[in-house]
Amino acid sequence: MSEPFMKPFSKAEMEAMRQATRDEEGLKRRFWAKLKRVAGKIPFAEDLVAAFFCATDPSTPSRVKLILLGAIAYFVFPADAITDLLPLFGFADDAAVLAAAITQVAGSITEEHRARAREALEDRAEDAAKA
């Protein structure tokens, strides 16, 4: 495994992720803004959006929400282990963090969350095509 994946988060990175999860409305805005910019570039967009819908579902247990919001915060955090500007590799760390989070809470992400994710991505693709 490469060095960036084995290196623990810095105190600044952890604090930024904690702050992002405290400000859920701000996290939602940053999530949708970043997703709009990169959805076509990441193969894990549907999983990411399904995780978002699970994390914002009132019936989701707090522990699951915390895990997923942490992964989503890492996705929106601008300074991560591998810069998102690098072609092909830029989102590898985001995918790894999301995959680890989903593995921990897989039973909580329902088919309804996945259906909403597909619908949201289709709507955003249609909006992009119109623009």
Side-chain angles (χ1 to χ4, degrees):
M1 190 172 265
S2 69
E3 185 65 29
F5 292 116
M6 296 176 67
K7 186 178 114 183
F9 294 119
S10 70
K11 287 182 181 182
E13 289 169 328
M14 287 301 297
E15 183 53 37
M17 286 186 280
R18 281 188 197 103
Q19 181 59 37
T21 57
R22 281 186 215 115
D23 177 17
E24 195 170 322
E25 287 305 312
L27 179 61
K28 287 178 185 179
R29 280 192 311 279
R30 290 189 305 275
F31 171 79
W32 288 113
K34 184 166 183 180
L35 186 68
K36 183 178 180 180
R37 287 192 317 271
V38 303
K41 300 175 188 173
I42 56 174
F44 58 93
E46 186 177 318
D47 288 330
L48 179 64
V49 178
F52 173 82
F53 284 127
C54 182
T56 57
D57 183 340
S59 66
T60 299
S62 297
R63 178 187 167 278
V64 172
K65 283 184 180 191
L66 182 62
I67 290 168
L68 293 175
L69 287 173
I72 291 165
Y74 186 80
F75 171 74
V76 301
F77 186 57
D80 50 23
I82 302 173
T83 180
D84 294 339
L85 301 174
L86 294 174
L88 302 174
F89 299 107
F91 292 102
D93 58 327
D94 299 278
V97 169
L98 180 65
I102 289 174
T103 299
Q104 293 295 310
V105 300
S108 297
I109 299 175
T110 66
E111 184 51 40
E112 180 184 341
H113 297 135
R114 293 192 179 285
R116 287 181 64 199
R118 286 189 292 274
E119 184 178 312
L121 290 170
E122 288 171 10
D123 290 348
R124 295 208 182 260
E126 288 173 9
D127 291 345
K130 290 177 187 175

